[in-house]
Amino acid sequence: MQLSGIRVIDLTRILSGPFCTMLLADMGADVVKIETPEGDPVRAQGEIVDGLSWYFASFNRNKRSVQLDLKSAAGMAALRRLIAGADVVVDNFRPGVMERMGLGWEQLRALAPGIVHTSVSGFGQSGPYVDRPAFDFIAQAMSGFMSMNGTPETGPMRSTLPISDLIAGCYAALGTAAALVRRLRTGQGERVGASLVDGLISFGAFASADFLASGKLPVPTGNDHLLVAPYGLFTASDGEIAVAPSNDAVYQKLLHVLELTHLREDPRFATNALRVKHRAAINAHVNMAVSRHDKAHWIATLNTAGVPCGTVMNLAEVYSDPQVLSQQMLLEVEHPGHGAVRMNGFPVKFSEAPCAVRLPAPDPGAHTAEVLREAGLSEAEIAAVSM
Amino acid sequence: MQLSGIRVIDLTRILSGPFCTMLLADMGADVVKIETPEGDPVRAQGEIVDGLSWYFASFNRNKRSVQLDLKSAAGMAALRRLIAGADVVVDNFRPGVMERMGLGWEQLRALAPGIVHTSVSGFGQSGPYVDRPAFDFIAQAMSGFMSMNGTPETGPMRSTLPISDLIAGCYAALGTAAALVRRLRTGQGERVGASLVDGLISFGAFASADFLASGKLPVPTGNDHLLVAPYGLFTASDGEIAVAPSNDAVYQKLLHVLELTHLREDPRFATNALRVKHRAAINAHVNMAVSRHDKAHWIATLNTAGVPCGTVMNLAEVYSDPQVLSQQMLLEVEHPGHGAVRMNGFPVKFSEAPCAVRLPAPDPGAHTAEVLREAGLSEAEIAAVSM
């Protein structure tokens, strides 16, 4: 696999950091999850089946768990031994905590020259908000994302999913992999940072660019597209379809499939700009036409004609969709004592050395002795820190 | 920088692929953007200032542009020469197009042993939907994301921002960097894939895990949190604040700061589960208390007490926020003939070898002769393909 043999000491908990290290572990890194006696709080979150949180299971696959009391000198000594043999350390503590633990950058480098230290934070590693507690919802609010999600009627709306945590985790994994490239070529270590707010700001795309160019604030448009019409959800005989004719050529194809080619003569709809102006009128024509057949008909005929079209799927539909299953986006992972646990597959595909589930999510401290023995600790030293 | 000296041949257009190659270029890769005579359509999209699309400028910084007619034999021959000297090729064509261009995996490998070939697609490189046209909105619909965004009243809602494009671009960059790690250690090349739908499915987080564990479909909760109360937007004397007391200890801190400690005796609010049941009642108490002071008061006092809290910022507020500016998330990039273009900063930070803007987004074909000369083409060969 891509990261086989890369040893990661994972000090993260909850979501953003564990997602980063899951991505690294899925690509073959040996991720050692350090847990305090309390364990990762996610072990007690979400649906618990026979004592196992499937949320925890899905974000901690392919990791080994070492439980250490980091308030004890022996626990910290063991952690330092592990770091000394590692390529990467990942944390999602509030900035300053690593320094207070005696694991600041200079100390890490002294332990392991060439180490890559990756930190996920709410607002970055410096600046006026550096000491604030971070949370996905707050990052959604402070990044501008909420101001653009929803509609003018709903007002600013959070995404139900914790997207700022996940984006930050993804960027942290990217930065880690890139730093490993540099390390392999130069021997140099690196400090990598990703934050919930910065990551979500970077997702502003054309909305950010247009605001910075024009000074005009973007309007949340819900299922309409600010600059394209027709576009959105339309109601077939058995439910809604999403239709996205992205440019004028695709609009012409849409008219053809919907048998609306007579609208080509209508001056109100002659250009996309005019159609945006007459959005309600063109949408009414499309809705009338779409209502004549069922979803399956339109999915087939519109896509064949080159018009992007799909149904709005709930998770039950997603996880039974033939395309999703063909991409192995639903995995069943055998957990000893718990049977098969279903979880998301791998979002990054590799043809030559694909991602794989080598290990189910670990019980707390399941690999304490094994990992410490690999690091060269004596049985007495291991016994001294075992719980 | 992390990827200094890595040569990327970039065949992508629009958003998902160019975002991937922007991330690689920001980290130091030498990205050569191959443009057909028509150029990347994004050059004509978004706010155009003095002939320059700021949207294009922000997603194509740090790249060089080579314009080639890929319908001509000479153009394709020049492209093959460039690929022969590259480490990475990135495309976001529909699956099968690279093969039809004579650039399938075996042909790429023959040209450049050890090449990393990264593809971004709508639905993946195989499966029943492989030939469908892809679009961000359709991926939002088909990944389950829309079914969880919004509220029960609004129904399924798209995010205004093209999150599936951006997530897929981020995963493609991650897969590319990881494949470069393997290549440096083994000499082996790799095919990397990321898709709009798979990427967004992987963002299901606890909603996916809970659905797969319980079979119960998640409810879109807008600004409420399904499992936590109080939580959400509350109205201070001068506007709304987002408050996210993530666990019981933080709830107790919230009560203290809001001077609502008498609620500790109220049996309706004794546990989080009870508060979720009595959400309207506890929210009313919080709103009443919050209304007594302004946003700045609550941002200061709640964060100091450890309760995550922030304002809902629009983009004007984001780009003038002292924290955002301290993290250099707003860049001014000098574009010859256009002056300073404002754009997002770097979402991944490196302390030792930071990301930098080395080049503004290129004019079409600005580097054709330069890049082809580096690849060893003669002046006559360069003249034959120049436009």
Side-chain angles (χ1 to χ4, degrees):
Chain A
M1 283 181 276
Q2 313 309 312
L3 301 182
S4 293
I6 300 290
R7 174 72 64 95
V8 178
I9 300 301
D10 178 8
L11 297 165
T12 71
R13 338 175 311 151
I14 316 284
L15 182 54
S16 62
F19 185 54
C20 165
T21 55
M22 180 202 84
L23 292 168
L24 300 175
D26 285 353
M27 296 191 291
D30 175 16
V31 173
V32 174
K33 182 179 180 79
I34 307 295
E35 295 191 81
T36 55
E38 304 77 35
D40 187 334
V42 167
R43 290 186 178 277
Q45 292 178 9
E47 290 283 336
I48 312 284
V49 183
D50 294 333
L52 179 70
S53 159
W54 283 34
Y55 176 26
F56 180 85
S58 67
F59 280 87
N60 292 281
R61 63 192 184 199
N62 283 329
K63 303 178 188 176
R64 299 193 286 174
S65 171
V66 167
Q67 211 161 21
L68 293 174
D69 178 2
L70 299 181
K71 291 180 182 135
S72 78
M76 280 302 300
L79 175 59
R80 283 192 294 270
R81 291 280 286 275
L82 294 179
I83 290 173
D87 304 292
V88 176
V89 174
V90 187
D91 84 276
N92 64 347
F93 296 125
R94 230 183 278 184
V97 170
M98 287 291 281
E99 286 73 10
R100 288 200 289 281
M101 292 170 73
L103 297 174
W105 178 232
E106 293 308 327
Q107 290 147 312
L108 286 176
R109 279 216 286 201
L111 279 170
I115 194 91
V116 173
H117 175 209
T118 300
S119 298
V120 187
S121 63
F123 305 96
Q125 294 296 317
S126 60
Y129 305 165
V130 70
D131 291 324
R132 290 193 186 181
F135 205 75
D136 170 74
F137 179 35
I138 308 304
Q140 291 199 36
M142 294 179 67
S143 62
F145 179 86
M146 279 179 61
S147 77
M148 294 178 271
N149 196 37
T151 66
E153 293 72 37
T154 65
M157 186 172 291
R158 147 186 182 273
S159 160
T160 302
L161 297 177
I163 54 171
S164 78
D165 279 317
L166 297 162
I167 292 168
C170 196
Y171 277 134
L174 168 61
T176 304
L180 287 169
V181 170
R182 175 166 168 269
R183 174 184 151 131
L184 282 165
R185 304 171 98 212
T186 68
Q188 301 293 307
E190 184 57 278
R191 300 166 77 183
V192 181
S195 88
L196 276 56
V197 171
D198 291 354
L200 207 38
I201 288 174
S202 80
F203 269 46
F206 43 73
S208 295
D210 286 2
F211 167 73
L212 291 171
S214 72
K216 285 180 288 202
L217 286 171
V219 178
T221 57
N223 294 323
D224 290 332
H225 192 298
L226 192 59
L227 301 174
V228 182
Y231 181 103
L233 296 182
F234 299 94
T235 308
S237 62
D238 60 346
E240 285 182 316
I241 55 170
V243 183
S246 42
N247 61 41
D248 212 68
V250 183
Y251 167 70
Q252 295 300 332
K253 294 174 186 171
L254 175 73
L255 290 189
H256 181 77
V257 177
L258 297 183
E259 300 177 18
L260 291 174
T261 49
H262 60 281
L263 295 183
R264 287 177 186 155
E265 318 301 321
D266 192 320
R268 291 175 302 166
F269 309 140
T271 67
N272 179 63
L274 285 164
R275 294 192 295 274
V276 168
K277 198 171 157 191
H278 301 288
R279 191 189 294 270
I282 187 71
N283 280 357
H285 281 286
V286 173
N287 249 325
M288 178 72 79
V290 165
S291 71
R292 295 203 185 98
H293 294 282
D294 65 7
K295 292 187 286 187
H297 171 84
W298 295 120
I299 299 295
T301 56
L302 286 171
N303 280 304
T304 301
V307 181
C309 174
T311 49
V312 180
M313 295 187 187
N314 63 33
L315 290 185
E317 293 164 325
V318 167
Y319 291 113
S320 56
D321 182 75
Q323 180 70 25
V324 171
L325 298 178
S326 82
Q327 299 307 299
Q328 297 179 281
M329 284 307 291
L330 176 60
L331 298 181
E332 294 210 340
V333 177
E334 196 62 29
H335 279 59
H338 297 281
V341 173
R342 290 182 294 280
M343 62 182 68
N344 279 329
F346 307 111
V348 190
K349 313 294 193 204
F350 300 97
S351 299
E352 305 295 308
C355 295
V357 177
R358 295 161 289 135
L359 292 170
D363 287 335
H367 307 90
T368 304
E370 171 185 306
V371 170
L372 294 178
R373 208 170 283 135
E374 288 170 12
L377 272 74
S378 70
E379 295 304 314
E381 288 172 309
I382 293 169
V385 298
S386 292
M387 281 170 248
Chain B
M1 282 181 278
Q2 314 308 312
L3 302 182
S4 293
I6 300 290
R7 174 72 64 95
V8 179
I9 301 301
D10 177 7
L11 297 165
T12 69
R13 340 176 309 153
I14 318 285
L15 183 52
S16 61
F19 185 54
C20 165
T21 56
M22 180 201 83
L23 292 168
L24 300 175
D26 285 353
M27 296 190 291
D30 176 15
V31 173
V32 174
K33 182 180 180 77
I34 306 295
E35 295 191 81
T36 55
E38 304 76 36
D40 187 335
V42 168
R43 291 186 178 276
Q45 291 177 10
E47 290 284 336
I48 313 285
V49 182
D50 294 334
L52 178 70
S53 161
W54 283 35
Y55 176 25
F56 180 84
S58 67
F59 280 88
N60 292 280
R61 63 193 184 198
N62 285 329
K63 302 178 188 175
R64 298 193 286 173
S65 172
V66 167
Q67 210 160 20
L68 292 173
D69 178 1
L70 300 182
K71 291 182 183 133
S72 78
M76 280 303 300
L79 176 59
R80 282 192 295 269
R81 292 278 286 276
L82 293 179
I83 291 172
D87 304 292
V88 176
V89 174
V90 187
D91 84 276
N92 64 346
F93 296 125
R94 231 183 278 185
V97 170
M98 287 292 280
E99 286 73 11
R100 289 199 288 280
M101 291 170 74
L103 297 173
W105 179 231
E106 293 307 328
Q107 289 148 314
L108 286 177
R109 280 219 285 201
L111 280 171
I115 193 94
V116 173
H117 175 207
T118 300
S119 298
V120 187
S121 63
F123 304 97
Q125 294 296 316
S126 60
Y129 305 164
V130 70
D131 291 325
R132 290 192 186 181
F135 205 74
D136 170 74
F137 180 32
I138 307 305
Q140 291 198 38
M142 295 178 67
S143 61
F145 179 85
M146 279 178 59
S147 77
M148 293 178 272
N149 196 38
T151 66
E153 293 71 37
T154 65
M157 187 173 291
R158 145 186 183 274
S159 159
T160 301
L161 297 177
I163 53 172
S164 78
D165 279 318
L166 297 162
I167 293 167
C170 197
Y171 277 134
L174 169 61
T176 303
L180 286 169
V181 171
R182 176 166 168 269
R183 174 184 152 131
L184 283 165
R185 303 170 97 210
T186 68
Q188 300 292 308
E190 183 58 278
R191 300 165 77 183
V192 180
S195 87
L196 276 56
V197 171
D198 290 355
L200 208 38
I201 288 174
S202 80
F203 270 44
F206 43 74
S208 295
D210 286 0
F211 167 73
L212 291 170
S214 71
K216 284 180 288 199
L217 286 170
V219 178
T221 56
N223 294 324
D224 290 331
H225 192 297
L226 192 59
L227 301 175
V228 182
Y231 181 104
L233 296 182
F234 299 95
T235 308
S237 62
D238 60 344
E240 284 182 316
I241 55 171
V243 183
S246 42
N247 61 40
D248 213 66
V250 183
Y251 167 70
Q252 296 300 334
K253 294 174 185 171
L254 175 71
L255 291 188
H256 181 78
V257 177
L258 296 183
E259 298 176 19
L260 289 174
T261 49
H262 60 280
L263 295 183
R264 287 179 186 153
E265 316 303 320
D266 193 319
R268 292 174 302 165
F269 309 141
T271 67
N272 179 63
L274 285 164
R275 295 191 294 274
V276 168
K277 200 171 156 189
H278 301 288
R279 192 189 293 271
I282 186 71
N283 280 356
H285 281 287
V286 173
N287 249 324
M288 178 73 78
V290 165
S291 70
R292 294 199 187 101
H293 293 282
D294 64 7
K295 291 186 287 187
H297 171 84
W298 295 120
I299 299 295
T301 56
L302 286 171
N303 280 304
T304 301
V307 181
C309 173
T311 49
V312 180
M313 294 187 187
N314 63 35
L315 290 185
E317 293 164 323
V318 167
Y319 290 114
S320 56
D321 183 74
Q323 180 69 26
V324 171
L325 298 178
S326 83
Q327 299 306 300
Q328 298 180 282
M329 284 308 291
L330 177 59
L331 297 181
E332 293 210 341
V333 177
E334 196 62 30
H335 280 60
H338 297 280
V341 173
R342 289 182 295 279
M343 62 183 69
N344 279 330
F346 307 112
V348 190
K349 312 293 192 204
F350 301 96
S351 300
E352 305 296 308
C355 295
V357 177
R358 295 163 289 134
L359 291 169
D363 287 334
H367 307 92
T368 303
E370 171 186 307
V371 170
L372 293 178
R373 209 169 282 135
E374 287 170 13
L377 273 74
S378 70
E379 296 303 316
E381 288 172 310
I382 293 169
V385 298
S386 292
M387 282 170 247

